[in-house]
């Protein structure tokens, strides 16, 4: 065998030039900018003509490559430098959002231009959201009037589903928050949004992207309280937003409270300590006794692993509720709270099939423990119950209710007054 290394074959022949279309095109938005500005200057204030021009230009100009430049021009009149100042490369056009009239009708017309453009060129959707996020970060570089127009436009686009509420994350920028720009902008934006849709639609959009619990972040840490938020938005004529934020905070507080309650029960903390903690939380978070008794019931019923056998689960429930009856009693000082607890028991026994036969035994136990009064039980039986398992539970309670009525008739004072009790929906 030869030790001589074999020579590698070489390619010979003509070298072809790379075709023009295969070369990487240099990114140069200047020419694109000139074309768009020239077109906008020709169409003027006729927004129908603007929409047609943008529609037709998409076939000739590279919207995909120059999406940011396109949106900069449509909003500010030209390309924006970092911070929000206009680039001086080209004379900006007067026919853009920032130069338009500051009223809701004009902003609605501009929203239609963006809507038509993005519907026609679907690939611009992501770029448009990124553009709005960027513009929100540039707010300090814009005039008050420009900010107002952008806020109104953004609110309309959010209402129409052209934007995701996730863009609001840009408003939590520390500098914007500190200088009050974020909260001021949010007021204009929500007013615009609510002029198009109701608060439930706004709430749904915010929840979808996890923004429902972040509205407090529009304010600096030292002002991030429910009271400050509520006053600021109520004074601005946005009580719906104020109430929504308060409700969200209350829901958050209730979830935390329930979690803490379950942990206290798991540790076996003394009932007097648990009662003291709950009273403090009620006061701090302005939680009603009716809401609290529902939370306590769920916490108690979630504190153990239930047996799957129907006959054993009743015994287990009675043992547990005997232990926690003083806790339940502490938060059923009102007739409405007792009725609320009865409804929670009814719903729980219906939703958890193994408890269907336990309902009457639970109610009787809580009656004997002085948690539920005969007035509340009779009120529930006669008119206060809900439809869930109604026939089953009323049948279970029939004999006990008859006993209560007979005992009541024997009382020398006559019938009790039930007018202080109300049905909970």
């Amino acid at each position: 065998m030869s030790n001589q290394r074999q020579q590698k074959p070489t390619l010979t022949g003509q070298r072809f030039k790379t075709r023009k279309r295969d070369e990487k095109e240099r990114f140069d938005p200047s020419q694109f900018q000139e074309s768009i500005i020239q077109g906008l200057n020709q169409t003027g204030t006729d927004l129908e003509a603007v929409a047609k021009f943008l529609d037709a230009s998409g076939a000739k100009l590279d919207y995909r490559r120059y999406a940011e430049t396109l949106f900069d021009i449509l909003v500010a009149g030209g390309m924006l430098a970092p911070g929000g100042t206009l680039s001086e490369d080209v004379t900006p056009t007067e026919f853009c959002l920032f130069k338009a009239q500051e009223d809701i009708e004009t902003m609605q017309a501009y929203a239609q231009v963006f809507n038509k453009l993005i519907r026609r060129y679907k690939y611009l959707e992501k770029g448009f959201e990124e553009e709005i996020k960027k513009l929100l970060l540039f707010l300090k570089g814009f005039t008050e009037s420009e900010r107002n127009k952008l806020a109104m436009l953004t609110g309309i686009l959010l209402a129409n589903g052209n934007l995701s509420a996730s863009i609001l994350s840009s408003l939590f920028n520390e500098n914007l928050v500190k200088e009050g720009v974020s909260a001021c902008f949010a007021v204009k934006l929500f007013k615009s949004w609510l002029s198009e849709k109701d608060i439930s639609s706004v709430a749904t959009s915010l929840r979808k992207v996890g923004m429902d619990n972040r509205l407090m972040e529009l304010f600096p840490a030292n002002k991030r309280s429910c009271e400050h938020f509520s006053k600021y938005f109520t004074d601005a004529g946005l009580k719906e937003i104020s109430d929504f934020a308060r409700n969200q905070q209350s829901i958050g507080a209730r979830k935390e409270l329930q979690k803490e309650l379950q942990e206290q029960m798991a540790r076996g903390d003394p009932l007097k300590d648990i009662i003291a903690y709950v009273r403090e939380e009620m006061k701090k978070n302005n939680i009603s006794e009716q809401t609290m008794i529902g939370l306590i019931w769920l916490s108690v019923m979630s504190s153990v692993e239930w047996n799957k056998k129907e006959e054993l689960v009743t015994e287990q429930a009675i043992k547990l509720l005997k232990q926690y009856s003083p806790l339940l009693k502490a938060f059923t000082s009102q007739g409405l709270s007792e009725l609320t607890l009865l409804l929670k028991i009814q719903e729980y026994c219906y939703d958890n099939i193994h408890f269907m036969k336990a309902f009457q035994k639970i109610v009787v136990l809580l009656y004997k423990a002085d948690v539920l009064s005969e007035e509340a039980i009779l009120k529930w039986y006669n008119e206060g119950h809900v439809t869930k398992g109604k026939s089953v539970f009323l049948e279970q309670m029939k004999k006990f209710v008859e006993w209560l009525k007979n005992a009541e008739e024997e009382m020398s004072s006559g019938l009790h007054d039930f007018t202080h009790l109300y049905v909970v929906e």
Side-chain angles (χ1 to χ4, degrees):
M1 188 183 285
S2 172
N3 290 328
Q4 201 174 9
R5 189 177 289 174
Q6 282 188 329
Q7 261 193 323
K8 287 183 182 177
T10 55
L11 291 172
T12 57
Q14 189 180 354
R15 186 185 292 274
F16 291 97
K17 283 188 178 179
T18 309
R19 281 180 290 185
K20 190 72 179 169
R21 70 181 185 195
D22 293 335
E23 286 179 6
K24 190 166 174 66
E25 190 186 341
R26 192 167 64 87
F27 182 74
D28 180 17
S30 304
Q31 198 174 347
F32 177 88
Q33 182 183 205
E34 283 174 14
S35 301
I36 296 293
I37 287 176
Q38 189 182 355
L40 290 174
N41 288 342
Q42 285 169 359
T43 55
T45 53
D46 183 356
L47 292 182
E48 194 63 43
V50 168
K52 284 178 182 171
F53 157 71
L54 292 170
D55 191 317
S57 296
K60 297 174 281 183
L61 300 173
D62 194 349
Y63 280 177
R64 195 184 294 273
R65 188 175 176 79
Y66 298 110
E68 185 180 3
T69 305
L70 173 65
F71 292 128
D72 273 2
I73 297 164
L74 293 176
V75 172
M79 283 197 292
L80 291 168
T85 54
L86 274 170
S87 165
E88 294 176 0
D89 294 353
V90 178
T91 305
T93 178
E94 291 293 305
F95 306 106
C96 62
L97 180 83
F98 281 177
K99 298 292 182 183
Q101 272 185 264
E102 191 185 318
D103 60 69
I104 198 75
E105 291 79 16
T106 306
M107 294 305 106
Q108 284 168 334
Y110 265 90
Q112 275 306 306
V113 171
F114 286 105
N115 184 27
K116 285 175 184 174
L117 176 63
I118 290 161
R119 246 188 5 224
R120 175 72 176 82
Y121 299 102
K122 288 287 283 181
Y123 59 79
L124 287 174
E125 266 182 356
K126 192 173 187 318
F128 185 51
E129 290 212 347
E130 291 305 313
E131 174 73 11
I132 297 295
K133 281 183 187 175
K134 180 192 80 175
L135 291 172
L136 297 189
L137 290 173
F138 288 174
L139 286 178
K140 278 169 66 182
F142 305 146
T143 66
E144 187 184 348
S145 177
E146 287 168 350
R147 289 201 289 258
N148 289 345
K149 289 169 200 172
L150 183 59
M152 284 191 274
L153 175 79
T154 306
I156 295 163
L157 292 169
L158 283 163
N160 295 340
N162 299 121
L163 286 173
S164 159
S166 60
I167 56 105
L168 298 176
S169 60
S170 289
L171 291 179
F172 304 140
N173 173 274
E174 192 181 343
N175 291 324
L176 296 176
V177 168
K178 198 165 83 175
E179 296 192 26
V181 174
S182 295
C184 191
F185 185 88
V187 163
K188 285 279 181 188
L189 181 148
F190 281 120
K191 277 189 177 176
S192 171
W193 195 344
L194 286 165
S195 72
E196 303 278 318
K197 292 282 163 87
D198 61 17
I199 188 64
S200 65
S201 173
V202 173
T204 302
S205 297
L206 293 171
R207 284 194 192 102
K208 209 172 182 180
V209 293
M211 286 287 160
D212 50 328
N213 293 315
R214 296 193 64 192
L215 295 183
M216 295 284 170
E217 293 174 46
L218 291 166
F219 296 98
N222 62 335
K223 292 181 178 176
R224 210 168 284 169
S225 70
C226 202
E227 290 67 34
H228 180 79
F229 186 99
S230 182
K231 186 176 187 322
Y232 187 92
F233 278 89
T234 302
D235 289 351
L238 284 167
K239 191 173 183 301
E240 306 102 307
I241 297 295
S242 164
D243 291 345
F244 171 72
R246 188 179 285 278
N247 188 46
Q248 287 305 115
Q249 195 193 41
S250 179
I251 290 168
R254 293 201 294 265
K255 280 180 182 171
E256 283 301 310
L257 195 151
Q258 191 172 334
K259 188 181 165 191
E260 176 58 28
L261 261 178
Q262 283 170 234
E263 285 175 8
Q264 288 178 355
M265 289 172 189
R267 290 195 303 263
D269 289 6
L271 286 183
K272 64 180 178 58
D273 292 351
I274 297 177
I275 291 168
Y277 164 75
V278 171
R279 286 202 171 123
E280 185 60 36
E281 288 298 306
M282 277 176 74
K283 191 177 173 184
K284 193 166 78 179
N285 295 296
N286 197 26
I287 299 172
S288 69
E289 189 179 81
Q290 290 76 52
T291 301
M292 186 52 74
I293 195 63
L295 285 177
I296 292 169
W297 167 260
L298 285 175
S299 299
V300 169
M301 299 307 277
S302 303
S303 66
V304 295
E305 193 73 42
W306 293 108
N307 200 298
K308 295 284 183 273
K309 290 184 179 174
E310 207 170 64
E311 62 276 13
L312 296 175
V313 89
T314 302
E315 193 182 317
Q316 194 183 358
I318 295 301
K319 189 179 175 185
L320 180 76
L321 291 168
K322 262 185 189 171
Q323 181 190 343
Y324 284 107
S325 59
L327 175 62
L328 293 165
K329 186 181 176 181
F331 299 96
T332 46
S333 66
Q334 303 164 21
L336 185 52
S337 306
E338 291 180 51
L339 195 52
T340 301
L341 176 57
L342 271 162
L343 291 171
K344 291 291 177 189
I345 298 168
Q346 182 185 348
E347 286 171 357
Y348 187 89
C349 290
Y350 178 80
D351 293 336
N352 297 275
I353 193 79
H354 299 307
F355 282 84
M356 284 295 279
K357 291 181 180 175
F359 180 77
Q360 188 256 12
K361 287 186 173 67
I362 291 171
V363 174
V364 172
L365 166 76
L366 295 179
Y367 170 74
K368 286 179 178 175
D370 208 20
V371 175
L372 296 172
S373 64
E374 64 265 31
E375 292 96 334
I377 294 167
L378 291 171
K379 184 74 177 176
W380 171 85
Y381 186 85
N382 292 325
E383 58 187 274
H385 50 261
V386 288
T387 54
K388 287 183 173 183
K390 170 185 163 182
S391 57
V392 175
F393 298 136
L394 289 180
E395 183 59 36
Q396 277 184 38
M397 291 295 293
K398 196 174 177 184
K399 284 184 181 175
F400 183 64
V401 166
E402 281 173 10
W403 179 83
L404 283 178
K405 283 178 179 174
N406 291 335
E408 192 178 39
E409 283 165 12
E410 290 167 11
M411 290 176 70
S412 57
S413 59
L415 289 172
H416 285 233
D417 178 21
F418 301 146
T419 55
H420 66 291
L421 293 173
Y422 299 94
V423 178
V424 177
E425 294 297 330

